[in-house]
Amino acid sequence: MSSKAVLKSSLIGYIYRGMRVLGIILTIAGTWVLGDIVYHSLVGGKAEATISRLHVVCVLQATGAMAGTVRTEVECSEADKTMAQYPNVPFSIGEIPYGYFAFNAEDGTAYDVRAPLAYLEALGAENGSTVPIVYQRSNPAEIRAAMPMAALLRGLSFLTGGVAILFAVLTVRWIASQRRGIEVDVQRLREAHSNQVRRSVRLPVDAVVNTASTARASQQRR
């Protein structure tokens, strides 16, 4: 089976196509994440937000066979009451710290927006801490971190991984193409050699046939 055929079938072919699809998906995802960051940094409004107060809520997450079916955020004082509504569902309890981010938009309007500290990469911040943010000019209540390092690193890792996989796929494709060229040359040489052998073998056979025909003609004349 030729190298080109191998890439179209068999287990190696499926792995090859799977890697190609994965590389394309990762490259698109990385480009999308980085493009989103750049877009909002260019068109969004910039401000220095001050954390006016902190607020912690509890997250109730179903576990075991019910995992993923029930997840809710409640006031920590209401956690026991909420779990009592699902007596047969085991829960794990976590906490999410929120902050109220006070800032002034470019038009001077004051806003106080509630958002998770992790989303704005401000975990560990205290009351009065200042956090650089970017907000949507059409809806200043939509805010994000001015330089989201976590999202930036995630986008770079997606893009780098995707490009690396695509480069490996292209390398495999190039090697297969080169090998296919060698296989064609070898096949041509094999055919030329076979033709030469057939010609070499056919000449003596023709001579024998001609000799036999001459002998029969002589006998008939006699």
Side-chain angles (χ1 to χ4, degrees):
M1 182 180 292
S2 67
S3 301
K4 188 175 181 180
V6 168
L7 294 181
K8 290 184 177 180
S9 62
S10 75
L11 178 60
I12 295 177
Y14 289 118
I15 295 174
Y16 167 80
R17 290 192 294 275
M19 290 180 61
R20 182 175 60 189
V21 172
L22 178 61
I24 293 173
I25 292 175
L26 289 178
T27 301
I28 293 175
T31 303
W32 177 270
V33 172
L34 296 177
D36 183 67
I37 295 173
V38 173
Y39 171 78
H40 284 91
S41 65
L42 293 176
V43 304
K46 298 177 177 59
E48 293 289 330
T50 301
I51 299 178
S52 58
R53 65 189 180 95
L54 298 173
H55 179 218
V56 178
V57 300
C58 287
V59 180
L60 303 181
Q61 175 68 60
T63 59
M66 302 295 293
T69 59
V70 181
R71 185 184 186 280
T72 183
E73 295 182 12
V74 298
E75 295 293 334
C76 291
S77 59
E78 299 291 326
D80 292 336
K81 180 180 179 180
T82 302
M83 288 189 293
Q85 298 175 5
Y86 306 91
N88 298 321
V89 178
F91 284 96
S92 63
I93 302 177
E95 294 182 347
I96 298 180
Y98 280 83
Y100 287 82
F101 295 84
F103 64 95
N104 293 326
E106 293 174 343
D107 60 1
T109 304
Y111 293 89
D112 195 14
V113 180
R114 179 176 178 267
L117 296 182
Y119 178 69
L120 293 178
E121 298 190 359
L123 286 175
E126 301 177 351
N127 285 334
S129 299
T130 301
V131 179
I133 64 168
V134 173
Y135 62 88
Q136 290 188 14
R137 287 190 168 91
S138 59
N139 182 19
E142 295 290 334
I143 62 176
R144 59 173 57 204
M147 183 52 65
M149 292 303 299
L152 183 62
L153 293 176
R154 184 168 59 253
L156 287 173
S157 63
F158 286 163
L159 183 60
T160 302
V163 171
I165 292 175
L166 288 178
F167 179 78
V169 168
L170 291 175
T171 301
V172 171
R173 185 72 179 182
W174 179 81
I175 293 173
S177 177
Q178 292 296 109
R179 183 175 177 183
R180 175 61 177 169
I182 294 173
E183 290 171 350
V184 171
D185 293 339
V186 171
Q187 182 62 27
R188 289 174 179 172
L189 291 174
R190 185 181 293 114
E191 292 174 356
H193 176 71
S194 299
N195 293 333
Q196 182 64 33
V197 170
R198 282 196 295 269
R199 285 195 297 269
S200 300
V201 172
R202 187 168 57 249
L203 288 174
V205 173
D206 293 341
V208 171
V209 171
N210 292 333
T211 302
S213 299
T214 302
R216 284 197 297 270
S218 299
Q219 289 176 357
Q220 289 175 358
R221 283 197 298 270
R222 290 176 184 174

